Amino acid sequence: MKAEDEKYCVECGQAIHVKAEVCPFCGVRQPIFYANQPFQQQNRSLQDDRWLPALLFCVFLGSFGAHRFYLGQIGTAVIQLVTLGGCGIWWLIDLIMIVVGKYKDADGQYIKSPINNN
Ligand SMILES: [Zn+2]
């Protein structure tokens, strides 16, 4: 049974302290999402831990290309910075893409969204 102050490790499924960042049983770092959901559910919906920072960067500093700098897309980040987020339009498109999980990082990997988990 899982106590109130415990969660399940995403890797080995052991009950660990809810605030534990690293599992003491297997040493795997825990994601920030789904901290209190059962093990099987966690595995099915495991998220990209870059999604929330990328979203926040985009919301608050998106017109300066902050999310692109964060995701390693320096080239387009500089262009976005100079054009102030493509006059807001480019910024808006990026924001929507991040929210729905269709945004790709510098390596072409999707930044998976917990909202639309395809
Ligand atoms: Zn573990």
Side-chain angles (χ1 to χ4, degrees):
M1 282 298 289
K2 184 169 76 75
E4 270 302 298
D5 62 346
E6 287 180 324
K7 65 182 177 183
Y8 294 108
C9 170
V10 295
E11 184 64 24
C12 66
Q14 291 279 1
I16 59 177
H17 194 275
V18 73
K19 288 179 181 169
E21 288 184 15
V22 176
C23 174
F25 297 98
C26 65
V28 169
R29 183 168 290 279
Q30 304 300 303
I32 54 174
F33 294 110
Y34 308 103
N36 284 309
Q37 293 184 16
F39 178 47
Q40 291 80 3
Q41 210 168 336
Q42 280 185 3
N43 254 9
R44 206 180 332 119
S45 53
L46 191 59
Q47 296 307 324
D48 194 321
D49 60 10
R50 295 171 302 175
W51 183 81
L52 187 59
L55 179 67
L56 292 175
F57 275 128
C58 190
V59 168
F60 294 108
L61 297 165
S63 52
F64 303 109
H67 54 293
R68 287 180 179 267
F69 282 112
Y70 173 69
L71 295 169
Q73 299 162 304
I74 307 301
T76 49
V78 170
I79 297 169
Q80 202 162 37
L81 175 65
V82 171
T83 62
L84 285 180
C87 301
I89 296 167
W90 193 8
W91 167 78
L92 190 63
I93 292 169
D94 278 0
L95 182 62
I96 293 167
M97 297 296 260
I98 291 172
V99 168
V100 300
K102 296 297 179 195
Y103 195 87
K104 286 182 182 174
D105 68 9
D107 299 320
Q109 300 294 314
Y110 283 115
I111 309 300
K112 287 186 217 157
S113 162
I115 293 167
N116 183 358
N117 187 27
N118 290 321

mmCIF file of all heavy atoms in Angstrom, residues 55-81:
data_model
loop_
_atom_site.group_PDB
_atom_site.id
_atom_site.type_symbol
_atom_site.label_atom_id
_atom_site.label_comp_id
_atom_site.label_asym_id
_atom_site.label_seq_id
_atom_site.Cartn_x
_atom_site.Cartn_y
_atom_site.Cartn_z
ATOM 1 N N LEU A 55 6.916 25.567 -22.257
ATOM 2 C CA LEU A 55 5.646 26.290 -22.298
ATOM 3 C C LEU A 55 5.752 27.621 -21.556
ATOM 4 O O LEU A 55 5.325 28.663 -22.057
ATOM 5 C CB LEU A 55 4.538 25.431 -21.683
ATOM 6 C CG LEU A 55 3.150 26.091 -21.646
ATOM 7 C CD1 LEU A 55 2.600 26.286 -23.057
ATOM 8 C CD2 LEU A 55 2.179 25.277 -20.812
ATOM 9 N N LEU A 56 6.344 27.581 -20.369
ATOM 10 C CA LEU A 56 6.455 28.801 -19.564
ATOM 11 C C LEU A 56 7.362 29.826 -20.253
ATOM 12 O O LEU A 56 7.042 31.018 -20.287
ATOM 13 C CB LEU A 56 6.988 28.473 -18.159
ATOM 14 C CG LEU A 56 6.023 27.661 -17.289
ATOM 15 C CD1 LEU A 56 6.686 27.296 -15.975
ATOM 16 C CD2 LEU A 56 4.727 28.400 -17.049
ATOM 17 N N PHE A 57 8.479 29.341 -20.822
ATOM 18 C CA PHE A 57 9.364 30.254 -21.565
ATOM 19 C C PHE A 57 8.603 30.889 -22.727
ATOM 20 O O PHE A 57 8.738 32.079 -22.992
ATOM 21 C CB PHE A 57 10.590 29.499 -22.103
ATOM 22 C CG PHE A 57 11.711 29.374 -21.106
ATOM 23 C CD1 PHE A 57 12.268 28.150 -20.816
ATOM 24 C CD2 PHE A 57 12.223 30.504 -20.472
ATOM 25 C CE1 PHE A 57 13.310 28.031 -19.908
ATOM 26 C CE2 PHE A 57 13.264 30.398 -19.561
ATOM 27 C CZ PHE A 57 13.805 29.157 -19.269
ATOM 28 N N CYS A 58 7.801 30.058 -23.404
ATOM 29 C CA CYS A 58 7.083 30.552 -24.573
ATOM 30 C C CYS A 58 6.014 31.566 -24.160
ATOM 31 O O CYS A 58 5.841 32.597 -24.804
ATOM 32 C CB CYS A 58 6.445 29.387 -25.335
ATOM 33 S SG CYS A 58 5.790 29.879 -26.935
ATOM 34 N N VAL A 59 5.301 31.283 -23.082
ATOM 35 C CA VAL A 59 4.226 32.175 -22.638
ATOM 36 C C VAL A 59 4.791 33.529 -22.223
ATOM 37 O O VAL A 59 4.288 34.578 -22.626
ATOM 38 C CB VAL A 59 3.438 31.539 -21.474
ATOM 39 C CG1 VAL A 59 2.517 32.573 -20.813
ATOM 40 C CG2 VAL A 59 2.616 30.356 -21.976
ATOM 41 N N PHE A 60 5.846 33.493 -21.394
ATOM 42 C CA PHE A 60 6.322 34.745 -20.794
ATOM 43 C C PHE A 60 7.417 35.445 -21.609
ATOM 44 O O PHE A 60 7.524 36.661 -21.589
ATOM 45 C CB PHE A 60 6.814 34.484 -19.369
ATOM 46 C CG PHE A 60 5.700 34.076 -18.442
ATOM 47 C CD1 PHE A 60 5.604 32.777 -17.990
ATOM 48 C CD2 PHE A 60 4.732 34.997 -18.057
ATOM 49 C CE1 PHE A 60 4.563 32.387 -17.155
ATOM 50 C CE2 PHE A 60 3.700 34.627 -17.224
ATOM 51 C CZ PHE A 60 3.607 33.322 -16.768
ATOM 52 N N LEU A 61 8.244 34.662 -22.301
ATOM 53 C CA LEU A 61 9.376 35.251 -23.023
ATOM 54 C C LEU A 61 9.401 34.796 -24.479
ATOM 55 O O LEU A 61 10.435 34.873 -25.143
ATOM 56 C CB LEU A 61 10.688 34.863 -22.323
ATOM 57 C CG LEU A 61 10.854 35.387 -20.888
ATOM 58 C CD1 LEU A 61 11.986 34.652 -20.187
ATOM 59 C CD2 LEU A 61 11.125 36.885 -20.882
ATOM 60 N N GLY A 62 8.259 34.314 -24.964
ATOM 61 C CA GLY A 62 8.190 33.723 -26.300
ATOM 62 C C GLY A 62 8.570 34.679 -27.413
ATOM 63 O O GLY A 62 9.160 34.273 -28.417
ATOM 64 N N SER A 63 8.248 35.969 -27.262
ATOM 65 C CA SER A 63 8.573 36.911 -28.331
ATOM 66 C C SER A 63 10.067 37.183 -28.401
ATOM 67 O O SER A 63 10.555 37.769 -29.361
ATOM 68 C CB SER A 63 7.791 38.219 -28.157
ATOM 69 O OG SER A 63 7.968 38.715 -26.858
ATOM 70 N N PHE A 64 10.807 36.748 -27.402
ATOM 71 C CA PHE A 64 12.265 36.852 -27.430
ATOM 72 C C PHE A 64 12.906 35.519 -27.814
ATOM 73 O O PHE A 64 14.119 35.354 -27.725
ATOM 74 C CB PHE A 64 12.807 37.309 -26.063
ATOM 75 C CG PHE A 64 12.230 38.619 -25.618
ATOM 76 C CD1 PHE A 64 11.334 38.659 -24.564
ATOM 77 C CD2 PHE A 64 12.580 39.800 -26.267
ATOM 78 C CE1 PHE A 64 10.782 39.870 -24.167
ATOM 79 C CE2 PHE A 64 12.031 41.016 -25.865
ATOM 80 C CZ PHE A 64 11.130 41.057 -24.814
ATOM 81 N N GLY A 65 12.074 34.544 -28.180
ATOM 82 C CA GLY A 65 12.599 33.247 -28.610
ATOM 83 C C GLY A 65 13.131 32.386 -27.478
ATOM 84 O O GLY A 65 13.893 31.455 -27.711
ATOM 85 N N ALA A 66 12.739 32.685 -26.223
ATOM 86 C CA ALA A 66 13.313 31.999 -25.065
ATOM 87 C C ALA A 66 13.116 30.487 -25.119
ATOM 88 O O ALA A 66 14.005 29.717 -24.756
ATOM 89 C CB ALA A 66 12.708 32.547 -23.777
ATOM 90 N N HIS A 67 11.936 30.034 -25.600
ATOM 91 C CA HIS A 67 11.679 28.586 -25.661
ATOM 92 C C HIS A 67 12.599 27.929 -26.688
ATOM 93 O O HIS A 67 13.001 26.794 -26.538
ATOM 94 C CB HIS A 67 10.209 28.313 -25.974
ATOM 95 C CG HIS A 67 9.723 28.999 -27.213
ATOM 96 N ND1 HIS A 67 9.613 30.371 -27.303
ATOM 97 C CD2 HIS A 67 9.339 28.510 -28.405
ATOM 98 C CE1 HIS A 67 9.162 30.684 -28.515
ATOM 99 N NE2 HIS A 67 8.995 29.582 -29.203
ATOM 100 N N ARG A 68 12.918 28.661 -27.759
ATOM 101 C CA ARG A 68 13.817 28.103 -28.775
ATOM 102 C C ARG A 68 15.249 28.024 -28.260
ATOM 103 O O ARG A 68 15.954 27.059 -28.524
ATOM 104 C CB ARG A 68 13.746 28.928 -30.062
ATOM 105 C CG ARG A 68 12.448 28.681 -30.811
ATOM 106 C CD ARG A 68 12.355 29.478 -32.091
ATOM 107 N NE ARG A 68 11.092 29.173 -32.759
ATOM 108 C CZ ARG A 68 10.979 28.214 -33.689
ATOM 109 N NH1 ARG A 68 12.031 27.539 -34.077
ATOM 110 N NH2 ARG A 68 9.817 27.961 -34.227
ATOM 111 N N PHE A 69 15.675 29.046 -27.507
ATOM 112 C CA PHE A 69 16.991 28.976 -26.860
ATOM 113 C C PHE A 69 17.028 27.785 -25.911
ATOM 114 O O PHE A 69 17.982 27.011 -25.886
ATOM 115 C CB PHE A 69 17.286 30.272 -26.081
ATOM 116 C CG PHE A 69 17.718 31.419 -26.950
ATOM 117 C CD1 PHE A 69 16.908 32.525 -27.117
ATOM 118 C CD2 PHE A 69 18.949 31.395 -27.598
ATOM 119 C CE1 PHE A 69 17.307 33.590 -27.919
ATOM 120 C CE2 PHE A 69 19.362 32.452 -28.402
ATOM 121 C CZ PHE A 69 18.525 33.553 -28.566
ATOM 122 N N TYR A 70 15.946 27.622 -25.134
ATOM 123 C CA TYR A 70 15.865 26.536 -24.167
ATOM 124 C C TYR A 70 15.970 25.173 -24.842
ATOM 125 O O TYR A 70 16.594 24.259 -24.306
ATOM 126 C CB TYR A 70 14.542 26.648 -23.388
ATOM 127 C CG TYR A 70 14.268 25.487 -22.467
ATOM 128 C CD1 TYR A 70 15.041 25.282 -21.320
ATOM 129 C CD2 TYR A 70 13.251 24.587 -22.744
ATOM 130 C CE1 TYR A 70 14.803 24.216 -20.484
ATOM 131 C CE2 TYR A 70 12.993 23.522 -21.902
ATOM 132 C CZ TYR A 70 13.770 23.331 -20.781
ATOM 133 O OH TYR A 70 13.538 22.267 -19.955
ATOM 134 N N LEU A 71 15.362 25.040 -26.022
ATOM 135 C CA LEU A 71 15.326 23.750 -26.711
ATOM 136 C C LEU A 71 16.486 23.587 -27.689
ATOM 137 O O LEU A 71 16.530 22.638 -28.460
ATOM 138 C CB LEU A 71 13.993 23.587 -27.446
ATOM 139 C CG LEU A 71 12.782 23.512 -26.508
ATOM 140 C CD1 LEU A 71 11.489 23.625 -27.295
ATOM 141 C CD2 LEU A 71 12.795 22.235 -25.691
ATOM 142 N N GLY A 72 17.442 24.509 -27.659
ATOM 143 C CA GLY A 72 18.647 24.355 -28.449
ATOM 144 C C GLY A 72 18.543 24.832 -29.885
ATOM 145 O O GLY A 72 19.426 24.583 -30.685
ATOM 146 N N GLN A 73 17.422 25.499 -30.213
ATOM 147 C CA GLN A 73 17.238 25.988 -31.583
ATOM 148 C C GLN A 73 17.751 27.425 -31.670
ATOM 149 O O GLN A 73 16.978 28.370 -31.848
ATOM 150 C CB GLN A 73 15.756 25.894 -31.952
ATOM 151 C CG GLN A 73 15.247 24.465 -31.900
ATOM 152 C CD GLN A 73 13.736 24.385 -31.825
ATOM 153 O OE1 GLN A 73 13.124 24.957 -30.946
ATOM 154 N NE2 GLN A 73 13.143 23.672 -32.755
ATOM 155 N N ILE A 74 19.068 27.555 -31.564
ATOM 156 C CA ILE A 74 19.671 28.879 -31.416
ATOM 157 C C ILE A 74 19.450 29.745 -32.658
ATOM 158 O O ILE A 74 19.149 30.937 -32.549
ATOM 159 C CB ILE A 74 21.179 28.761 -31.107
ATOM 160 C CG1 ILE A 74 21.416 27.825 -29.900
ATOM 161 C CG2 ILE A 74 21.786 30.130 -30.844
ATOM 162 C CD1 ILE A 74 20.729 28.266 -28.628
ATOM 163 N N GLY A 75 19.607 29.143 -33.833
ATOM 164 C CA GLY A 75 19.469 29.898 -35.077
ATOM 165 C C GLY A 75 18.127 30.597 -35.195
ATOM 166 O O GLY A 75 18.047 31.815 -35.358
ATOM 167 N N THR A 76 17.052 29.804 -35.093
ATOM 168 C CA THR A 76 15.716 30.384 -35.208
ATOM 169 C C THR A 76 15.380 31.232 -33.983
ATOM 170 O O THR A 76 14.582 32.153 -34.069
ATOM 171 C CB THR A 76 14.644 29.287 -35.392
ATOM 172 O OG1 THR A 76 14.850 28.280 -34.414
ATOM 173 C CG2 THR A 76 14.694 28.701 -36.784
ATOM 174 N N ALA A 77 16.012 30.918 -32.844
ATOM 175 C CA ALA A 77 15.786 31.716 -31.640
ATOM 176 C C ALA A 77 16.260 33.148 -31.845
ATOM 177 O O ALA A 77 15.579 34.104 -31.478
ATOM 178 C CB ALA A 77 16.502 31.088 -30.443
ATOM 179 N N VAL A 78 17.440 33.288 -32.472
ATOM 180 C CA VAL A 78 17.982 34.627 -32.731
ATOM 181 C C VAL A 78 17.074 35.386 -33.707
ATOM 182 O O VAL A 78 16.754 36.559 -33.495
ATOM 183 C CB VAL A 78 19.427 34.528 -33.283
ATOM 184 C CG1 VAL A 78 19.911 35.883 -33.773
ATOM 185 C CG2 VAL A 78 20.355 33.981 -32.204
ATOM 186 N N ILE A 79 16.619 34.688 -34.754
ATOM 187 C CA ILE A 79 15.707 35.331 -35.721
ATOM 188 C C ILE A 79 14.430 35.784 -35.010
ATOM 189 O O ILE A 79 13.933 36.893 -35.211
ATOM 190 C CB ILE A 79 15.354 34.360 -36.875
ATOM 191 C CG1 ILE A 79 16.614 34.008 -37.658
ATOM 192 C CG2 ILE A 79 14.299 34.982 -37.790
ATOM 193 C CD1 ILE A 79 16.435 32.866 -38.646
ATOM 194 N N GLN A 80 13.930 34.909 -34.124
ATOM 195 C CA GLN A 80 12.701 35.223 -33.402
ATOM 196 C C GLN A 80 12.918 36.412 -32.462
ATOM 197 O O GLN A 80 12.054 37.273 -32.326
ATOM 198 C CB GLN A 80 12.242 33.994 -32.609
ATOM 199 C CG GLN A 80 10.758 34.011 -32.274
ATOM 200 C CD GLN A 80 10.254 32.631 -31.899
ATOM 201 O OE1 GLN A 80 10.938 31.854 -31.258
ATOM 202 N NE2 GLN A 80 9.038 32.324 -32.311
ATOM 203 N N LEU A 81 14.086 36.459 -31.856
ATOM 204 C CA LEU A 81 14.427 37.565 -30.963
ATOM 205 C C LEU A 81 14.448 38.886 -31.729
ATOM 206 O O LEU A 81 13.861 39.881 -31.306
ATOM 207 C CB LEU A 81 15.786 37.287 -30.307
ATOM 208 C CG LEU A 81 16.392 38.377 -29.424
ATOM 209 C CD1 LEU A 81 15.530 38.619 -28.205
ATOM 210 C CD2 LEU A 81 17.799 37.987 -28.989
#
